Amino acid sequence: MPPRIANHLPEEHTVTATTVQKKVTRPRADALRNRERIVTAAQEMFTEFGPDVPLDEIARRAGVGNATVYRNFPDRDALVREVVCSVMDRTTEAAELALAETGDAFEALERFVHTSADERVSALCPMIQSTFDQNHPDLEAARLRCEELIVELMDRAKAAGQLRTDVESGDLMIVVAQLSRPPFGAACLNTDRFVHRHLQLFLDGLRAPARSVLPGTAMTMEDLRQA
C-alpha cells in the first residue's frame, strides 16, 4: 500500500477557509437593505413617472450607486418583476392577516382593497403586460396566490351573507384598478385623499342584500385575463 501523503495545510487554515465559504453564501445585512431600498424607490418612481424611468434615477432615489442596482437586477425586467411580485405579496399577506385576526371575510376583503390602493397595484398593472414575460414562474406564483385568496375571501363573504352574489373577483379588480389608478406624473398624487373614500363607497355597494340589479354578467379572473 503506498504511503499516505500528509496534508501539510495547517488545521486552522482549513477551518478558516470553510468559515469564509459559509459567509460568502449568506447575503450581508447591508446588501439586503440596499436591495430593499432599490425596490422601494423603483415602486415609487414607476408609479409617479411610468415604467420607463431611468435606472440611474432609481439608484439616486435609493441612495445607492448604479453598480449596486445592476448587481441586484441585471436588467429593467428583473427589477420590474421584483416590484410587482413584492406588491402582490404584501397585499395578499394583508388580507390573510385580516382574515386570521378577525375571521370576518368581508373585513378581510376591505383590507385587501385598501392595501391594494396604498400599494398602487393598479399603476403597476400595465408593466406586467408591456415589460416582461407574463409567464415567469415568480410572477405566476405571486399572481396565483393573490387570485386564489381573493376568490376565497369573496366566496366566504357570500356564504356568510355579507357579499352580494352577482359579483365575481374580476368585477372587484376592475373597479379597484379604475378607482385607484392615477395618471403618470406628480400631479396624480393630488387625488390620493379621495381614493379610500371612493373605494369605501364601492365596498359598501358590494354588501348584501343587494339594493339593485346589475346589468350584464359577473366577470371572473379568467374573464379579466382574456379581456
Side-chain angles (χ1 to χ4, degrees):
M1 177 181 297
R4 294 182 60 188
I5 300 176
N7 183 359
H8 296 292
L9 188 64
E11 182 178 352
E12 61 271 17
H13 184 82
T14 304
V15 173
T16 303
T18 303
T19 304
V20 170
Q21 184 179 5
K22 288 182 179 179
K23 288 183 179 179
V24 169
T25 59
R26 188 174 302 166
R28 296 182 326 203
D30 58 341
L32 291 175
R33 284 194 296 270
N34 283 341
R35 185 180 178 89
E36 290 173 359
R37 285 203 295 265
I38 293 167
V39 173
T40 299
Q43 181 185 348
E44 293 172 355
M45 299 198 77
F46 288 155
T47 299
E48 293 175 25
F49 305 109
D52 297 325
V53 63
L55 296 185
D56 291 353
E57 294 298 323
I58 293 175
R60 187 174 294 110
R61 179 172 292 197
V64 302
N66 296 355
T68 302
V69 173
Y70 286 105
R71 187 162 53 247
N72 283 274
F73 305 100
D75 53 37
R76 181 182 299 274
D77 286 357
L79 178 55
V80 171
R81 183 167 56 249
E82 180 70 16
V83 169
V84 173
C85 288
S86 66
V87 167
M88 286 186 177
D89 287 343
R90 284 195 297 274
T91 54
T92 302
E93 288 165 3
E96 289 176 335
L97 181 61
L99 190 57
E101 289 177 344
T102 68
D104 187 308
F106 199 92
E107 183 175 333
L109 189 64
E110 287 183 317
R111 190 177 300 188
F112 171 84
V113 168
H114 286 293
T115 301
S116 297
D118 286 336
E119 293 285 352
R120 297 291 192 181
V121 168
S122 56
L124 300 176
C125 288
M127 293 187 292
I128 298 178
Q129 299 180 355
S130 62
T131 59
F132 62 83
D133 182 8
Q134 297 182 47
N135 298 317
H136 190 282
D138 291 346
L139 179 61
E140 281 291 309
R143 181 162 49 196
L144 182 61
R145 180 186 176 210
C146 186
E147 291 180 359
E148 287 177 344
L149 180 63
I150 297 170
V151 172
E152 179 184 356
L153 292 177
M154 294 183 72
D155 286 347
R156 288 193 185 190
K158 288 178 182 179
Q162 299 173 302
L163 177 66
R164 57 190 300 163
T165 59
D166 56 351
V167 293
E168 295 293 344
S169 52
D171 296 314
L172 178 74
M173 295 313 298
I174 281 184
V175 176
V176 170
Q178 290 176 338
L179 293 180
S180 63
R181 176 182 296 170
F184 294 135
C188 73
L189 301 179
N190 295 332
T191 64
D192 278 359
R193 64 186 184 274
F194 301 116
V195 170
H196 292 288
R197 174 183 177 86
H198 296 159
L199 285 174
Q200 193 58 50
L201 284 170
F202 162 66
L203 287 164
D204 287 348
L206 291 181
R207 286 190 176 275
R211 303 273 179 105
S212 61
V213 177
L214 296 177
T217 57
M219 175 173 281
T220 65
M221 283 293 187
E222 184 61 30
D223 295 331
L224 184 58
R225 277 194 294 271
Q226 292 178 359

